[in-house]
Amino acid sequence: MDTVLVTGATGTVGSALIPALRARGVAVRAMTRDPGRSVPGAETVVADLGDPESVAAALKGVDAAFLNSPSAADAAAHQIRFADLARDAGVNRLVLLSQYAANAGSPVRFLRWHAEVEEYVGKLGIEHTVLRPNLYLQALLAFSRTIAQGFIAAPIGDAAVSAIDTRDIADSAAVVLTDPGHAGKTYTLTGPRAVTHTEIAHALSAVLGRSVVFHDTSADQFAAALSGLLPPWQLDGLIEDYAHYARGEAAEVHTSVADLTGHPARDVTDFARDHAAAFEAAR
């Protein structure tokens, strides 16, 4: 691969993917919606998935593309249009960031939306690979304020989730974007074990040197706490996600990270240690 386009380049996965690709010796074109932002280590292009002309320009001369769109009510439509534009631009390889357990019949809207995009891309006639990561450990950073107060609250009970560090998603994506042998494959990406939120709280307590506890909460209480911070469609989808986790549907562990990268997936204890400063800064 000569040039790889990374969408969502300033997000949690994209920002880790760029140095992972650079380490593999490829040129990176970073796509961002912010005209005032330059992405280190990459050619920065300004484009918005909602603006097909800007996306078409960003795709010119690209050999492979990583598709990860911002959360939006019409994200599936934007991803499908991006896939069409990538095909039309002659992109040789498309890597789609989907979600663990994507399924057209799921009660979780995000899983249905991802399944719709997966199905469309599968029929498009372009070489593609699908990555299905589980719950991001980095999502805990959004709870840093309550963690600073000594607790995590979520409607998940004692259900375990094989949550993954986004750095492992990026490392896996770098491999399938640049190495042969991954066409038409779907990889489910998880951490090395399934962990409960109580175990996550213990891991944070150990590195922060202070008590962090988990409080199980109802879906209504969780929604009330986030009301006004997220649009209604996104909040409703998040509640559906947590119901999915609480039903024990996201506990299966896969070895794809180790199989692809040659290193074991990072554990929650690794995540907690490496992000301790971010949690301390929220105090």
Side-chain angles (χ1 to χ4, degrees), residues 237-256:
L238 184 62
I239 296 298
E240 292 168 1
D241 265 340
Y242 270 94
H244 160 65
Y245 303 142
R247 291 191 296 268
E249 297 171 352
E252 194 171 90
V253 174
H254 291 247
T255 62
S256 297

Side-chain angles (χ1 to χ4, degrees), residues 111-189:
L111 300 185
R112 295 195 303 271
W113 295 353
H114 281 298
E116 178 187 356
V117 179
E118 286 187 21
E119 181 181 13
Y120 187 85
V121 170
K123 298 176 180 178
L124 197 57
I126 185 173
E127 181 182 316
H128 69 283
T129 306
V130 176
L131 301 180
R132 290 180 172 178
N134 207 346
L135 174 66
Y136 296 176
L137 284 170
Q138 275 74 3
L140 290 165
L141 295 170
F143 295 89
S144 57
R145 187 156 51 175
T146 67
I147 290 170
Q149 298 171 35
F151 71 94
I152 308 170
I156 194 171
D158 60 358
V161 180
S162 53
I164 184 170
D165 193 300
T166 55
R167 293 172 293 180
D168 289 328
I169 302 172
D171 289 346
S172 300
V175 171
V176 299
L177 279 162
T178 57
D179 286 354
H182 305 289
K185 294 185 178 180
T186 296
Y187 297 104
T188 296
L189 306 179

Side-chain angles (χ1 to χ4, degrees), residues 48 93 113 240 257:
D48 190 314
R93 183 177 301 175
W113 295 353
E240 292 168 1
V257 170

